[in-house]
Amino acid sequence: MSDPSSAPVDEVDLDGDPVDVVAAVWAAALGVDAVDPQEGFFDLGATSAMVVDVVRVLRRRWPGLKIVDVFSRPTVAQLAAHLGDG
């Protein structure tokens, strides 16, 4: 049985600029319309469970992404710069 709260995150389009993609995935996970690229994920209300879900989705585009990357780069801008287009 899947978690219905993860459905919007799974539906995010992963094509496009890394900042836009990471912001869209986080916005879906947080249930908000938009995320400030400079705001910390945990300041926005993210939980550890959300990190796991977000990483699972982002790995479809960036297979090398690790959970620790989110903790060491806790904003959209920082994480997107780390991920780049690779």
Side-chain angles (χ1 to χ4, degrees):
M1 176 199 295
S2 67
D3 178 3
S5 67
S6 68
V9 176
D10 288 329
E11 295 171 6
V12 173
D13 182 5
L14 299 178
D15 292 327
D17 180 76
V19 170
D20 295 337
V21 171
V22 174
V25 172
W26 270 108
L30 291 163
V32 297
D33 291 332
V35 172
D36 179 344
Q38 303 303 320
E39 191 85 26
F41 301 128
F42 296 102
D43 295 333
L44 294 167
T47 65
S48 295
M50 285 179 190
V51 171
V52 171
D53 203 31
V54 165
V55 168
R56 177 185 54 78
V57 171
L58 291 176
R59 278 183 179 157
R60 293 190 311 223
R61 176 164 172 186
W62 295 286
L65 178 64
K66 298 177 179 78
I67 290 174
V68 69
D69 294 332
V70 176
F71 287 96
S72 61
R73 295 164 183 88
T75 70
V76 166
Q78 292 168 338
L79 187 58
H82 171 69
L83 295 171
D85 286 321

